[in-house]
Amino acid sequence: MEKKNIDWANLGFGYIVTDKRFVSNYRNGAWDEGGLTEDATVTISECAGVLQYAQTIFEGLKAYTTEKGETVIFRPDLNAERMEQSAKRLEMPVYPKDKFVDAIVETVRANSAYVPPYGTGATLYVRPYMFGSSEVIGVKPAQEYQFRVFTTPVGAYFKGGAKPLTIKVSDFDRAAPNGTGHIKAGLNYAMSLHAIVTAHEEGFDENMYLDPRTRTKVEETGGANFLFVTKDKKVVVPKSSSILPSITRRSLVHVAKEYLGLEVEEREVLFDEVKEFAEAGLCGTAAVISPVGKIVNHGEEICIPSGMADMGPVTKELYDTLTGIQMGRIEAPEGWIKVVE
């Protein structure tokens, strides 16, 4: 299919309407077959569960054009598994894993003209989501749900290179102990909006949330996991029951161990340790790794030795290896890449 006439190199990270999206409805205890539609609007009752009690979950992943010219999707099975966990936690029906992956593939294939060409730095962002669609006035789960998938082409997350971020230690808590921090629910992100707007107003790029119980351990930001590198090149990632299990983070851990031969520790990370690390970064779907150069805790500045100019050397190697796998320049582990035929 011929590509759309889009200035791929100058795309931002925003929403552009594409031709098709996938829709499936859950009624009378079962999902229908679902299918593609050109209609980008959603019509629901004013009393729908999503509007009254925030019954909504979502995922985010990307489709790429590889060096060989193939359109591929990165690890959609893990997104299906994570959405299953999210659905169960919010008392929503699980959308079957195989149908989830099929819906992703079908939607990407239908919008193949919007998958940016290789080498442009742009990708096709894929957003699967589910919400309570039937009326609910008492506090209880909805009886009907809708699962949808849309796509939008997005530009490189960093224009002109990945410049290290300045992070603020937030006074807010992202998630409660034994709460919903480990699932990808809209309500978690709504709770982070005031904190991120406040951080931006104060001149910071992002927040660092500490554990809500003791406020002594590093958790994550509003939309990404932390990753640290010690002075002896050991990769350290925070572990907590209230951290969202990032697919990018899990992939980077595998890359560090199996491709780069690095030692990796997944454990609780005390905030007091941060000043001892040589490199720091945020990992997630949008940018893969965003380097961190400075962390500020109520006026106290912690300057990461890798500096404010570039990624640290280990972080850069992790970034280059994982993006090489995604773009087909490096052989991927079995099952990581789903080719769209």
Side-chain angles (χ1 to χ4, degrees):
M1 182 181 291
E2 185 178 349
K3 298 296 183 184
K4 294 290 183 178
N5 184 21
I6 294 174
D7 185 2
W8 305 108
N10 291 306
L11 273 177
F13 200 87
Y15 175 65
I16 295 173
V17 181
T18 55
D19 294 339
K20 304 281 187 177
R21 64 274 311 134
F22 182 90
V23 182
S24 178
N25 290 288
Y26 180 89
R27 298 190 179 101
N28 301 316
W31 289 102
D32 64 19
E33 284 301 308
L36 295 172
T37 177
E38 295 181 358
D39 190 355
T41 61
V42 177
T43 302
I44 52 176
S45 166
E46 63 184 352
C47 198
V50 61
L51 300 178
Q52 303 308 315
Y53 302 117
Q55 253 193 313
T56 178
I57 57 178
F58 70 98
E59 282 296 322
L61 63 161
K62 287 180 174 181
Y64 311 82
T65 301
T66 68
E67 194 172 38
K68 296 179 181 178
E70 293 179 316
T71 297
V72 303
I73 306 165
F74 186 68
R75 308 193 78 178
D77 57 317
L78 293 190
N79 292 95
E81 291 174 4
R82 192 167 63 181
M83 181 168 263
E84 177 179 345
Q85 294 162 5
S86 298
K88 289 178 177 178
R89 182 64 176 81
L90 292 192
E91 290 296 328
M92 301 170 75
V94 171
Y95 198 75
K97 179 178 174 179
D98 57 341
K99 293 186 68 175
F100 178 100
V101 174
D102 289 345
I104 300 299
V105 171
E106 190 174 351
T107 309
V108 171
R109 183 188 297 118
N111 294 293
S112 60
Y114 292 91
V115 181
Y118 175 79
T120 61
T123 55
L124 186 72
Y125 186 81
V126 184
R127 170 56 59 86
Y129 62 110
M130 186 197 303
F131 56 88
S133 55
S134 62
E135 297 87 348
V136 179
I137 196 64
V139 182
K140 60 184 179 181
Q143 296 299 302
E144 297 179 357
Y145 296 84
Q146 191 167 103
F147 170 79
R148 299 176 70 100
V149 182
F150 70 79
T151 61
T152 184
V154 295
Y157 199 75
F158 297 117
K159 295 293 185 183
K163 299 303 180 185
L165 308 176
T166 300
I167 305 293
K168 171 192 176 182
V169 176
S170 181
D171 292 322
F172 298 99
D173 292 328
R174 176 186 162 271
N178 306 314
T180 58
H182 63 293
I183 65 170
K184 204 164 178 69
L187 56 92
N188 292 337
Y189 293 79
M191 291 171 65
S192 74
L193 294 177
H194 177 65
I196 190 60
V197 168
T198 301
H200 288 165
E201 288 174 346
E202 295 175 355
F204 299 100
D205 297 301
E206 253 293 2
N207 286 292
M208 172 184 280
Y209 292 105
L210 303 179
D211 74 290
R213 195 184 300 277
T214 71
R215 296 192 60 80
T216 62
K217 303 164 190 171
V218 176
E219 293 252 302
E220 61 173 294
T221 70
N225 286 181
F226 276 99
L227 178 149
F228 301 101
V229 180
T230 66
K231 293 172 183 175
D232 59 354
K233 297 186 177 182
K234 182 186 300 178
V235 176
V236 179
V237 290
K239 184 177 182 180
S240 165
S241 61
S242 57
I243 290 177
L244 184 74
S246 163
I247 292 163
T248 303
R249 185 203 72 208
R250 284 181 275 174
S251 302
L252 287 166
V253 165
H254 181 89
V255 165
K257 291 178 180 177
E258 305 301 329
Y259 282 70
L260 305 181
L262 300 173
E263 184 177 350
V264 178
E265 290 184 350
E266 296 183 73
R267 60 171 175 82
E268 291 184 341
V269 176
L270 294 174
F271 178 71
D272 286 346
E273 293 181 70
V274 171
K275 60 182 178 291
E276 304 297 331
F277 292 124
E279 302 175 36
L282 308 180
C283 50
T285 299
V288 181
I289 304 179
S290 308
V292 173
K294 185 188 297 183
I295 299 169
V296 180
N297 182 24
H298 297 91
E300 177 194 0
E301 292 190 354
I302 300 173
C303 296
I304 307 300
S306 52
M308 293 296 294
D310 298 297
M311 282 188 179
V314 175
T315 304
K316 182 68 162 59
E317 199 171 10
L318 286 167
Y319 175 86
D320 288 344
T321 305
L322 185 55
T323 54
I325 289 170
Q326 292 172 333
M327 294 296 177
R329 297 187 297 268
I330 298 173
E331 185 175 355
E334 185 176 356
W336 278 29
I337 301 298
K338 181 74 174 178
V339 178
V340 179
E341 303 290 351

